[in-house]
Amino acid sequence: HAIAGALGTMCRRLQALLEQTELDLTQALEEDFEGLDETLEEWREDHTENNKRVMQTRESIQSEIDELQQFQHLATRIRDNAKGQALLTALDKAFAELNRLQAPRKAIIFTESRRTQNYLLDLLKNTFYGEGIVLFNGTNTDERAQEIYKEWIQQHQGSDRISGSKTADTRAALVDYFRDHGTVMIATEAGAEGINLQFCSLVINYDLPWNPQRIEQRIGRCHRYGQKFDVVVVNFINKNNPADERIYELLRDKFQLFEGVFGASDEVLGAIGSGVDFERRIADIYRHCRDSQQIRDSFEQLRLELSTEISDAMLKTREALFEHFDEKVLERVRIDSNRLRNRYERILLDLTQTALNHKADFDQDGFWLNELPIELQDSAIPLGRYELPRRSPEAHLYRVEHPLAQQIIQQAKNYPLKAAKLTFTYSPDEGRVTTLENVRNQSGLLRLTLITVQMLGVQEQHLLMVAITREGFVLEEDDPERLLCMPAVMTELSPLTNISTELDAVFQRKKQHCLADINQRNIGYFQQEIEKLEAWADDLKLKLDHEIKALDAEIKETRKTAAAAQTLNEKLNWQKHQRELESKRNKLRREIFDRQDHIEAQRDELISALEKQLTQQVQEEQLFEIEWELV
């Protein structure tokens, strides 16, 4: 259906060439295949090569026209489209599964041609899905899209949802309609760019691009933050075409586009640049291979080259990161989970390994608990496999809240920590810490103190760690903690009493800084409470003022009515009503002053209560002090 139109366009272009008239092939095809200009720009060499072919003899051009017309005739004779019928089957099965999962009944179908988009609309409009179909393409100028746009403009008139750009607002209107009312969105490549479809969890690649990055971009419309269900991707391939099958194998296995939680990794897709070279290689295979064996051999060669290319790129990236970046940077880069586990998970596992000693067998994903320590043998903690995070269903999920972890943490808190000397080993292979490289082959003192601060009825606890070298150089920020994370052995203690006083001064500075931060937060809390009281007073006064103004207006009308009364009885009744209104107004005026006095009293009470609690009650507990050396 789609290629018939493209073949007709090519025939007209060649016919115009014979007649020496101008016809822009790119513009003509762009009306059908969106993004063709971008593709031609990327495939510049092939585009130039195709232009050279125009300079042929009239006979060869006429021959090509005749051949293309035969292909077009074959294409237009097709009545029953097996691929379209397969789509109906896929939709029925997929929507049944969405119902079972209680996921929204939404599906986005991607195609590369507007003609195919129109064919799918005709195919589906008389089915169960017909009422909820939305078309999305580069222009969105069809009648239905314009109706949706006008309704959306009316709905959001006067709001900041309207940007003023008709193109952008039409796209937003179509997405909103799909979210709130639609069932199926049929989109060209324009639908894969810049829209959020996190409410949809079914992606159908009716036409599967060769470029893996474009496929990832399509899936990324639905598989994004905010998605509440697994995103299912349905791909259409011609299983009678060996090249189609081989392409799909590469996309599935080598680029891992359709498996796992995250799909293709940035490392894998980044290794192939823009993906254009990959498309060119496939195009070459289609052009030059004439049997199944040639296709298998060519794709196997492409697979081997990709394996080397991707592996080399990932290896070089990892080496560069581990060799040149600080550990802090590495913790923010998604690399190997075994090398860079979440910091707190790593600390918990290290502590657990120390506490369990020979009672458990540890590996990269967790541990097997074979025997409980003596102090835990009376507990109901089960033996077996523990993982963090859990990867296998039979394993126990190990986390800070687990009873075993709680027991180990409490036990660690109660360890007697005597004075000692620790010699730490710095190894760049385990992660560079550039700030600590300045103190290699030096020694000093390190102290950890727990301070507990009671203020405004709230208790805060902070661990303050300070370290200093023998020469008086202070380890700033979190360097002391990072020092403690390095491998160490206990060596002979030789107290450095000469710098103990300097360490005290460093600790006092850090403590005062911590207390100042706490005090600043409490000032903000106090100010917030005062502002709440004042806002409440203002709202109350505004309400009473509004009621007084309403009464004033009513009193004024009552006076007019009383003056116009025709009988004495009527005048007396209206005068009585006026006095009642005036009495009510005077009461409200007094209430304003009474409420203000009440608010002032509340403010005074709050200030007095806060004043009593403003004094910081600080307790200090030195947990340990060590002499350290970094080698």
Side-chain angles (χ1 to χ4, degrees), residues 417-424 443-447 470 489-500 503 622 624-629:
L417 301 172
K418 300 178 181 179
K421 178 178 180 181
L422 296 180
T423 299
F424 296 94
S443 59
L445 286 179
L446 183 148
R447 181 187 299 164
R470 188 188 297 269
V489 294
M490 291 186 65
T491 53
E492 186 177 350
L493 182 65
S494 55
L496 302 174
T497 54
N498 59 319
I499 60 171
S500 182
L503 188 67
Q622 182 174 309
F624 65 80
E625 182 175 294
I626 61 167
E627 180 185 346
W628 60 268
E629 183 178 6

Side-chain angles (χ1 to χ4, degrees), residues 88 92 99 184 294 526 565:
L88 296 176
D92 289 342
N99 289 338
V184 174
Q294 285 183 323
F526 175 77

Side-chain angles (χ1 to χ4, degrees), residues 220-432:
R221 298 309 95 214
C222 300
H223 190 185
R224 59 198 298 122
Y225 290 116
Q227 175 59 258
K228 297 179 180 179
F229 299 91
D230 289 340
V231 174
V232 176
V233 183
V234 178
N235 299 304
F236 277 70
I237 62 169
N238 180 2
K239 300 191 75 173
N240 293 321
N241 184 332
D244 262 17
E245 287 202 288
R246 290 291 181 176
I247 292 170
Y248 181 73
E249 286 176 11
L250 283 174
L251 296 173
R252 180 193 63 200
D253 300 333
K254 182 52 58 182
F255 295 106
Q256 302 171 349
L257 286 172
F258 313 116
E259 298 295 333
V261 177
F262 297 105
S265 72
D266 293 336
E267 291 170 333
V268 170
L269 289 182
I272 60 167
S274 67
V276 175
D277 288 338
F278 181 73
E279 288 185 88
R280 281 204 188 102
R281 292 295 303 274
I282 293 177
D284 287 339
I285 293 173
Y286 267 90
R287 276 200 291 260
H288 300 119
C289 294
R290 289 295 174 262
D291 58 53
S292 298
Q293 187 59 46
Q294 285 183 323
I295 291 172
R296 281 195 295 270
D297 293 344
S298 298
F299 272 102
E300 181 62 20
Q301 181 63 31
L302 178 57
R303 187 189 67 80
L304 291 173
E305 291 179 14
L306 281 172
S307 297
T308 304
E309 189 175 345
I310 290 173
S311 299
D312 287 349
M314 292 171 69
L315 183 61
K316 288 177 181 177
T317 302
R318 286 194 174 121
E319 286 177 351
L321 284 167
F322 283 111
E323 183 177 345
H324 298 294
F325 281 82
D326 189 272
E327 185 181 354
K328 273 187 173 180
V329 178
L330 292 176
E331 287 181 357
R332 288 164 172 78
V333 179
R334 176 166 58 88
I335 313 178
D336 193 324
S337 61
N338 299 329
R339 294 286 304 271
L340 291 175
R341 187 185 295 275
N342 176 285
R343 177 170 175 263
Y344 293 101
E345 292 178 359
R346 190 173 67 234
I347 292 173
L348 178 59
L349 283 177
D350 288 346
L351 178 62
T352 303
Q353 189 167 5
T354 301
L356 294 180
N357 200 2
H358 301 298
K359 310 291 184 183
D361 298 322
F362 283 77
D363 55 43
Q364 61 187 17
D365 296 326
F367 59 93
W368 286 92
L369 181 60
N370 305 315
E371 179 185 353
L372 286 174
I374 295 175
E375 60 272 16
L376 299 180
Q377 287 181 356
D378 293 334
S379 65
I381 296 172
L383 303 179
R385 176 70 176 167
Y386 287 78
E387 292 180 346
L388 175 66
R390 182 164 54 194
R391 290 171 172 80
S392 49
E394 67 277 2
H396 301 286
L397 175 58
Y398 193 58
R399 60 194 189 282
V400 171
E401 295 79 11
H402 192 280
L404 176 60
Q406 287 292 307
Q407 293 275 8
I408 289 173
I409 291 170
Q410 190 57 48
Q411 177 182 311
K413 286 182 177 181
N414 296 329
Y415 282 151
L417 301 172
K418 300 178 181 179
K421 178 178 180 181
L422 296 180
T423 299
F424 296 94
T425 302
Y426 180 86
S427 175
D429 293 338
E430 295 297 324
R432 294 183 61 142

Side-chain angles (χ1 to χ4, degrees), residues 153-172:
I153 287 292
Q154 290 178 354
Q155 179 184 353
H156 297 287
Q157 193 67 45
S159 73
D160 58 3
R161 289 294 308 277
I162 299 176
S163 69
S165 165
K166 185 175 181 180
T167 300
D169 290 341
T170 303
R171 289 165 64 91

Side-chain angles (χ1 to χ4, degrees), residues 192 211 442 518 553 575:
N211 190 329
Q442 296 189 45
I518 295 173
Q575 287 288 338

